[in-house]
Amino acid sequence: MMAKKSGLPEFLAFHRPYLGSEEIEEVVDTLRSGWLTLGPKTARFEEKFAAQVGARFAVATSSCTAALHLSLDGLGVGPGDEVITTPYTFPSTIASILYCGAKPVLADTLPEFPNIDPDAVAAAVTSRTKVILPVHFSGAPCEMDSLEQIASRCGAAIVEDAAHALPACYKGRAVGSIGRASCFSLYAGKNITAGEGGVLTTDDGDLAAQARIKRLHGISRDAWKRYTAEGSWYYEVQDLGFKYNMTDINAAIGLHQLDRVKAFHERRLQLVKLYNDKLRTVEGLTLPRPPGDVESSWHLYVIRIDPDQAGVSRDSLIEMLKADNIGSSVHFIPAHHHPYFQERLGWSGDLCPNASRLYRGAISLPLYPAMSDGDVEAVCASLERIVEESRA
Ligand SMILES: *Cc1c(COP(=O)(O)O)cnc(C)c1O
């Protein structure tokens, strides 16, 4: 293979999860135990997760998408209701609203950061607004004080898409303990993983109880115990449920990933500082700066390129990084750009201009605890060289 100018001998993946021997041994223990699906390890994982974010309840699910659906469903969101959310998100945020038969209403992002703009939310409120669904982009909490004010004025609940936001704080409050419900993701690419999985956290006991029932076919609470010595064969369907439970195999991984939250976070902060120091002087790049009194989880390091100043387009830059053995990505293609949502909801590409502008310049650089300082330095050197050569 030809030597890469970055000096990286192997392709630097955009993301790679860190899994230790603890995770592997716990999974093997689960396999040997004979209990594979929702059971005691999921229960332990839930207790530990709730403690991590300071919530009264944590309900583990098969995904963050499932947790979002259960939250909205549990709050009674249905046909005729509107849910105000951001275009700057993964499509499943929008899908979770559509699953309920409700109407997603987009509020544009802030001009300089892809979090929802509270003024745009206030302008989108109608008598049908039932929930406000902010997304803490890259783990930087949204302006929750303003959103809470708007929500309490119009009688709406706040459900947070916190897929990126472990661990994150807004004015010293941990995400997961702020809104009526917060939904986290344990997908392989997120800050911690269970392979796949999600968690709904809430202080609302009724919402948690209902989510527990509906994540497993709508059958009576702790139905899984019917296969153990303390259980019995009898169960009742209490509601129309889904198949949204976590499994103990996934929980086995998640239990030990939770032990790593602090160390992972500290490593992310070091890598972010290194990126900031090295990229500050590169022409045409805007570095990520979460607004407000927040502590971001730094799930993503998203730079913004100005093609005129940098002399290279966003899309070419991604290709040139790839040729240099560096993986990158784009977060996110805004919801109003996707053809299905456009057709179904009458959205057009110019609906949310701030989100569209931020998207057009965005590149997510690799950022994960398994990276070395040398990896970050190689990415920065490559970016600097590409911009220098392109401007020449
Ligand atoms: C990853 C992600 C989701 C979906 O998470 P899953 O666990 O894969 O369902 C939802 N919202 C955002 C913002 C995400 O990044």
Side-chain angles (χ1 to χ4, degrees):
M1 202 162 70
M2 235 176 71
K4 304 289 180 176
K5 287 181 183 168
S6 65
L8 285 168
E10 281 174 48
F11 189 74
L12 177 66
F14 171 68
H15 180 77
R16 207 151 32 87
Y18 178 92
L19 298 162
S21 55
E22 291 85 350
E23 283 87 339
I24 292 167
E25 279 158 27
E26 193 76 47
V27 168
V28 171
D29 178 72
T30 309
L31 298 179
R32 290 195 203 286
S33 78
W35 194 274
L36 304 186
T37 188
L38 178 67
K41 288 194 182 175
T42 303
R44 255 168 62 206
F45 173 77
E46 288 176 332
E47 271 171 39
K48 210 163 162 174
F49 198 98
Q52 168 73 41
V53 301
R56 285 184 63 206
F57 307 100
V59 180
T61 57
S62 52
S63 69
C64 176
T65 308
L68 286 165
H69 183 196
L70 288 172
S71 301
L72 297 175
D73 178 82
L75 292 168
V77 172
D81 294 329
E82 294 178 355
V83 176
I84 300 175
T85 192
T86 170
Y88 217 94
T89 187
F90 190 65
S92 68
T93 314
I94 311 297
S96 69
I97 301 166
L98 294 173
Y99 295 160
C100 297
K103 181 180 168 192
V105 174
L106 296 183
D108 204 355
T109 64
L110 299 164
E112 290 301 317
F113 194 85
N115 273 349
I116 201 163
D117 178 355
D119 291 338
V121 173
V125 167
T126 73
S127 59
R128 293 166 183 260
T129 305
K130 185 108 178 187
V131 166
I132 297 172
L133 204 179
V135 177
H136 305 304
F137 181 79
S138 70
C142 295
E143 288 175 36
M144 296 307 290
D145 281 351
S146 312
L147 295 178
E148 279 176 333
Q149 272 173 23
I150 298 163
S152 69
R153 239 185 286 138
C154 71
I158 293 184
V159 173
E160 294 156 77
D161 181 332
H164 298 179
L166 186 76
C169 284
Y170 172 79
K171 296 189 177 171
R173 295 151 78 193
V175 170
S177 66
I178 303 174
R180 186 75 171 278
S182 310
C183 302
F184 294 87
S185 175
L186 301 164
Y187 174 70
K190 298 305 203 290
N191 279 18
I192 67 163
T193 185
E196 292 276 3
V199 186
L200 185 173
T201 64
T202 183
D203 286 347
D204 179 337
D206 292 338
L207 184 61
Q210 204 191 158
R212 268 181 219 292
I213 290 169
K214 292 189 108 175
R215 77 173 159 181
L216 197 63
H217 311 295
I219 57 184
S220 38
R221 186 170 150 74
D222 288 342
W224 57 272
K225 284 189 180 153
R226 74 182 185 275
Y227 295 116
T228 67
E230 53 189 300
S232 80
W233 57 269
Y234 187 75
Y235 64 87
E236 284 177 353
V237 175
Q238 300 181 335
D239 208 331
L240 179 62
F242 309 99
K243 186 66 205 290
Y244 278 171
N245 61 282
M246 178 171 276
T247 78
D248 268 21
I249 302 173
N250 298 105
I253 303 171
L255 273 170
H256 294 280
Q257 290 273 294
L258 274 178
D259 289 336
R260 304 186 196 281
V261 167
K262 188 157 181 281
F264 280 178
H265 185 61
E266 280 165 8
R267 182 64 187 146
R268 280 178 183 278
L269 291 178
Q270 288 171 352
L271 297 171
V272 166
K273 184 173 182 311
L274 199 53
Y275 267 130
N276 286 341
D277 290 348
K278 300 271 171 197
L279 294 179
R280 205 188 318 274
T281 51
V282 180
E283 210 71 43
L285 302 186
T286 305
L287 307 187
R289 277 217 317 184
D293 179 5
V294 301
E295 287 165 57
S296 176
S297 71
W298 288 101
H299 171 54
L300 299 170
Y301 190 85
V302 181
I303 59 171
R304 190 147 42 97
I305 180 166
D306 176 338
D308 295 332
Q309 273 191 57
V312 58
S313 74
R314 189 269 308 269
D315 296 1
S316 317
L317 183 54
I318 288 172
E319 288 310 311
M320 290 158 111
L321 285 171
K322 199 164 161 190
D324 242 357
N325 258 355
I326 294 164
S328 59
S329 190
V330 173
H331 297 86
F332 285 109
I333 304 167
H336 59 289
H337 290 218
H338 290 297
Y340 177 77
F341 297 139
Q342 291 184 345
E343 273 166 40
R344 176 159 173 176
L345 298 159
W347 293 348
S348 66
D350 53 12
L351 185 62
C352 296
N354 288 344
S356 297
R357 191 174 42 79
L358 292 173
Y359 154 65
R360 279 194 291 270
I363 304 180
S364 305
L365 301 178
L367 178 68
Y368 45 97
M371 283 173 76
S372 67
D373 287 6
D375 291 334
V376 172
E377 282 159 7
V379 175
C380 295
S382 176
L383 271 169
E384 195 170 356
R385 186 184 49 74
I386 291 168
V387 169
E388 242 165 48
E389 287 178 6
S390 306
R391 283 165 55 83

